[in-house]
Each structure stands twice: as structure tokens, then as C-alpha cells.
Amino acid sequence: MGSRPSLPAVLQLRPYQQRWIDDSSRFKGAVKSARVGFTFATMGEAVLDCLARPASWTALGAAKAQAIEAVDAAQKIREAMGAVAEMYDEPFADELGVSSETQTRIQFANGSRIIALPANPRTARGYPGNAILDEYAHVQDSYSIWAAIARQVALGHKLRALSTPNGEQGKFFDLAREFGLTDGVAPSPNPMRKGAWSWHWVDIHTAVREGCPIDIEEMRDLFKDEEIFSQEFLCAFLKAAGAWLPLALIAGAEDADATMDWPPGYVPAGPLSLGIDVGRDGDRTVAWLDEMIGDVAWTRMVMRLHNVPFFSPEGERRHNDQARLLLPWVQMATRTAMDSTGIGLGLFEFLASQCPGRVMGVNFGGSVPVGENVPASFASRTGSVKIKTDLAVRMKQRFEQGKNRIPHHPEVRQELQAVKREYSGGAIKFEAPRIEIDTAVAGGVKRKVFAHADSFWAKALADLAAAGAPAAVLTTLEQREEWKRRENRGVLSQLTAQLAAHEREISGKAEPQEAFARERKPLWS
């Protein structure tokens, strides 16, 4: 085993690139400016390692373009050094078979190899050995990729994680925050070392001082957005500006004992509160189930339904519609609060008829008087607040009081952060952009769907269910009395009644009293 060679003089390295290559730490991370040559330096280290000894390096890029850039850099370095190697493209294959991904392989004469691929959980599991996560802050499924890549380097291999920032989200941000590198300020010393890790921080000012030929003011003028410029060139992670729930609140509530799926065989010790935010085609229906242990809400289940019909047509099996998927959870819950606005009305009526007195509908378009939970500053000129405002304020108060334990899940975190507080017409409202996501179908074809902070509102409704029945519910239920008196019901309501009758026929139970006929009594004590 020989010593590692050096790069030839023809490959001019800047000091920060040389420091990165010379750093022999097993785990290395870099928070760095865009376009300062860190991918080139990282591939230089991989090529030198491959020439010194038989070695395997897998470079995972945030997209195919990053993977191509990485392998092109490695090939230029190999050619400059006169090393013998073969480069070719081939399909990526693993124990699941041949995938649609194409990988580029550089195979050296001594058996070493460098393989470049777009990053996803499957490719990250592909090859044990040394690993490079290039532009890691910009990959999708960063937590799944991290779990896979950590396994691949377990037997003493090296790991390199480098990226420009990409907001306060994802595994790269978590790592940078752990090592104190998220505020756009260089660490001291730089690089800084902690345990097996070494972290380098190179913003554009550092890079220019050390020879990088970028015109800083020209770039600033080109971007015309100081926040984006700061993220791309000054190593500052763009904050979730305007987010109603700050990341620190969400992260502080995340707990390993809170679960996305109901734990098998689990017997709850406290009452269960269920919130249901209803969606159909583009948006999703999300059901959020909390168990109250004392005054702390522990999440036990979060169900996301993508493009699932509310009801199956008459005569078809009814096991895969929203009504049947949600009914067991409503029956299990002590209390349920659900969106009964617009398209959610029929689903609410069905579930309420199956669990009389335990399901309340919430009209998201309604208002309630200012109560003790909502500051007067949130009220409109009429002295009332929107129901969404009541829900959002109640939810934030519980997070601030440390009374929530939620799962650590990237999509849930993203949706909880998505809701923004906005001023409109002299009042405050809470809205969220539609977030494009992938359906979570393992091994299947992914479809693009959208989330509209569905998890946020489902959790807020679960908090409302746990709190009891405020005035907002009575307002909603009074509207149900008017609907009940109508003689000509719509098709959706007729289908709801048919399904309820079918349920009673199967169970042999007498017809239950409709939930909205109980409006003059408290929903629950």
C-alpha cells in the first residue's frame, strides 16, 4: 500500500480546496458558497485515494446534473494525472433489479472505482464504501438517504457531506445546526472538529480572498434579492420567514416516542383526540390522532390519504374509500373534530351518524367571539376572530407550553412550517402555499400531489377536539339543523344516508339519533 499521490501542478488549487483535500478526517462536512469549486476538490480527493489503494467511492448528487458534474471533474483530474482508467455509463441495479437510473463508473486499473448517481434512498443503499453527498441540502428524502448512507460507511469508510444552504429544513441543515454553522458566521477555528467530524465553512468572501474569480457585487446585483444572495454565497440558511410555527418550536416538540403509525398492540392510557382535515383530488385528507397523557398530547397516528374517494359507488366493496378508512379511527377516538366545509360535509355527516355525539364539524369559513385563547389584536372590527385563527393560536400556545410530542418526519415538519400569518382587510388570517410532494408508494411509480398545510390543520383540529366544544362548534351545528330540515337533499347527502343505513343493516343496530339534532346539549363533558 503506497502513500497517496499529489495532484499535478497543472491543477491549480486554491487554499481552501487544498485544506479540504489535506483533511484526512473520516467524516467531513462543508457549508460553502456556490461555484467555488468544492465538488472539484472532493472528486480530487477521491481520485487520489483510488490511485493510492484499491478503494470504492460513490458520489450522490442532488440531481443528475450534479452527478455528471462530479464525474466530469474526476475524469479531468484522472486525465491530468495520466492515470489509466475506463469510464462508461450503465444502468443502476441492486437486489430489487435494474432501475431506471443511469450510473457513471470510472474503473481504475488497480480495481478502484468511482460511481456517480443521482441521490435517492435506493441508490444510497447501492454500494458499501466511501460516500460523497454533493449539494446534500438540495436532495429530496434527505433523512432516508442519510439512514442508507450511514449503513454503507459503517465499516470504517469515509463520508463527505457538502452543500450550499437550502433553508431551515432537511438533514444537512440539522447537521450544520448541530455544529453551529447555520448563521452565516465562520466557526473558530475553521475548519472546526468535533468527534469524528471536521467541518469547513467557506463563504464567497473567503473564497475570493483565496483566489476565486467571482465578482461579488456583480452577483449581488444579478440576484437583486439579499436573502437569496446570502444563502447562495454567504452560507446563511434562509429562515422560514413569516412561519407561524418557528422551526425551533417544531423541533422542540419532536420526540422518538411519538409515531406516524399506531404502534402494534398498543393500549392507550389516556383519551384519544382525532383531527381530520378533508381533501379529495389535489390536496390530501389527513387524520391526526393524539393521546392525552396528563396535559401533553402524544401523536400516535398520522394518516395521509392521496386521491382516495370519499365513498365507493353503491354495490362496490367499500374498504378503500375515505369513509371506511377513517371510521375505525373515529370509533376509537374519544372526540373527533373535522373539517365540514364544502366537500367535507358529506363525509362529516356519515362519520357523525356512525358515532353520534362524538364528532363535531368545523366550518373553516366561520368566526367566533374573541375568547381567552385569542388575543384581541387578532380580532376583526366586529370583535370576532376567524375559526382558523382560533385554531392556529390555540395550536401555537400548546407548542410554546411544551404540551405536544410529535413525530420527527420531514413532510410533517414542512407542513407545520408552511402556514404563514398574513394581514388582510384589517384582520389577521392564516394561509399556506400548496406544496408539491411525492406520493409515498414504496417501489411504485410516484405521482405528484399537493399538500396545503393539511397536517397543520389536522393537528389543530386534534387540539380542538382535546379542548372540548367551543362556541365555534355550536355555530356549525346550528347550520346542520337547517340542512336537516331541507326536503331536497343533494346526491352526496343521499349517498351518505344510504351508507349509514347499510351500516345499521349490517350491525343490526337501531337507527341512531343524528349528531346535529343534539345541538342544544353539550357535545361532551
Side-chain angles (χ1 to χ4, degrees), residues 209-251:
R209 280 198 307 270
E210 298 188 3
C212 184
I214 291 179
D215 187 320
I216 297 176
E217 293 309 315
E218 185 178 70
M219 287 296 100
R220 179 176 271 113
D221 181 65
L222 183 64
F223 273 80
K224 289 183 168 51
D225 186 317
E226 193 61 31
E227 286 189 335
I228 299 299
F229 175 82
S230 296
Q231 180 164 259
E232 292 292 325
F233 292 101
L234 302 182
C235 298
F237 286 78
L238 186 64
K239 297 184 182 298
W244 177 239
L245 293 180
L247 179 63
L249 275 185
I250 299 171

Side-chain angles (χ1 to χ4, degrees), residues 58 178 199 223 288 359 450:
T58 301
E178 179 183 348
W199 277 84
F223 273 80
W288 188 299
V359 182
F450 294 88

Side-chain angles (χ1 to χ4, degrees), residues 258-273 289-291 298-303 329 332-333:
T259 56
M260 295 290 291
D261 300 306
W262 183 266
Y266 180 73
V267 178
L272 300 175
S273 303
L289 185 68
D290 282 339
E291 179 186 7
W298 288 82
T299 303
R300 299 302 182 209
M301 183 277 296
V302 180
M303 176 191 292
W329 299 105
M332 179 189 298

Side-chain angles (χ1 to χ4, degrees), residues 88-412:
Y88 52 91
D89 294 332
E90 61 186 359
F92 171 75
D94 57 10
E95 66 273 9
L96 299 178
V98 178
S99 79
S100 59
E101 300 285 4
T102 298
Q103 67 183 27
T104 301
R105 179 191 294 256
I106 299 178
Q107 190 71 41
F108 293 85
N110 65 351
S112 294
R113 67 186 183 188
I114 296 174
I115 297 171
L117 281 159
N120 61 56
R122 184 175 176 183
T123 57
R125 289 191 298 269
Y127 299 101
N130 306 306
I132 298 167
L133 297 172
D134 192 17
E135 289 297 348
Y136 183 40
H138 299 264
V139 305
Q140 297 183 24
D141 301 316
S142 64
Y143 293 96
S144 298
I145 289 171
W146 186 258
I149 214 70
R151 184 183 68 173
Q152 301 303 73
V153 302
L155 297 178
H157 295 105
K158 300 172 183 177
L159 174 61
R160 309 294 182 243
L162 56 146
S163 188
T164 54
N166 185 30
E168 293 183 332
Q169 54 82 37
K171 183 61 180 179
F172 186 78
F173 170 72
D174 288 351
L175 289 168
R177 181 177 58 182
E178 179 183 348
F179 293 97
L181 299 173
T182 59
D183 297 325
V185 178
S188 181
N190 185 16
M192 60 92 65
R193 291 177 171 79
K194 183 178 178 181
W197 278 95
S198 174
W199 277 84
H200 295 236
W201 186 95
V202 178
D203 71 343
I204 191 62
H205 295 293
T206 303
V208 168
R209 280 198 307 270
E210 298 188 3
C212 184
I214 291 179
D215 187 320
I216 297 176
E217 293 309 315
E218 185 178 70
M219 287 296 100
R220 179 176 271 113
D221 181 65
L222 183 64
F223 273 80
K224 289 183 168 51
D225 186 317
E226 193 61 31
E227 286 189 335
I228 299 299
F229 175 82
S230 296
Q231 180 164 259
E232 292 292 325
F233 292 101
L234 302 182
C235 298
F237 286 78
L238 186 64
K239 297 184 182 298
W244 177 239
L245 293 180
L247 179 63
L249 275 185
I250 299 171
E254 291 172 343
D255 193 291
D257 290 329
T259 56
M260 295 290 291
D261 300 306
W262 183 266
Y266 180 73
V267 178
L272 300 175
S273 303
L274 180 65
I276 302 174
D277 183 49
V278 179
R280 175 59 180 89
D281 295 319
D283 297 327
R284 304 173 298 176
T285 288
V286 175
W288 188 299
L289 185 68
D290 282 339
E291 179 186 7
M292 297 301 297
I293 306 295
D295 62 352
V296 176
W298 288 82
T299 303
R300 299 302 182 209
M301 183 277 296
V302 180
M303 176 191 292
R304 282 90 58 85
L305 301 177
H306 305 265
N307 199 30
V308 178
F310 292 141
F311 306 104
S312 300
E314 187 68 25
E316 292 188 9
R317 297 182 66 185
R318 301 190 183 102
H319 298 299
N320 294 317
D321 56 29
Q322 291 196 27
R324 290 307 180 276
L325 291 171
L326 291 170
L327 181 58
W329 299 105
V330 177
Q331 291 171 329
M332 179 189 298
T334 310
R335 302 162 179 164
T336 297
M338 68 176 292
D339 170 17
S340 61
T341 311
I343 62 173
L345 173 59
L347 189 60
F348 161 75
E349 289 182 330
F350 170 73
L351 294 173
S353 73
Q354 298 303 301
C355 303
R358 291 162 50 200
V359 182
M360 63 178 174
V362 177
N363 181 356
F364 276 171
S367 299
V368 294
V370 175
E372 62 180 12
N373 291 319
V374 182
S377 59
F378 284 82
S380 66
R381 296 184 181 92
T382 63
S384 62
V385 296
K386 296 291 186 181
I387 288 176
K388 277 193 168 184
T389 300
D390 181 87
L391 292 172
V393 172
R394 180 192 311 274
M395 183 175 174
K396 186 172 185 177
Q397 287 172 344
R398 289 191 58 82
F399 272 96
E400 290 175 338
Q401 294 163 3
K403 293 182 177 180
N404 283 318
R405 303 291 184 271
I406 64 174
H408 182 97
H409 190 279
E411 278 188 23
V412 167

Side-chain angles (χ1 to χ4, degrees), residues 432-509:
R434 295 181 59 152
I435 305 167
E436 189 175 24
I437 58 174
D438 284 326
T439 53
V441 181
V445 177
K446 290 188 174 183
R447 291 184 299 103
K448 289 292 183 185
V449 297
F450 294 88
H452 193 228
D454 313 306
S455 294
F456 180 100
W457 295 115
K459 169 58 177 167
L461 289 166
D463 287 346
L464 180 65
V473 181
L474 298 180
T475 302
T476 306
L477 293 181
E478 286 170 359
Q479 295 170 354
R480 302 291 181 263
E481 177 64 23
E482 178 62 29
W483 294 328
K484 193 179 80 169
R485 288 197 294 265
R486 292 178 185 171
E487 295 180 0
N488 298 321
R489 298 174 65 86
V491 174
L492 186 58
S493 294
Q494 293 176 19
L495 181 56
T496 299
Q498 293 172 4
L499 290 171
H502 179 70
E503 284 290 313
R504 292 192 295 272
E505 181 181 344
I506 293 175
S507 64
K509 294 180 181 178

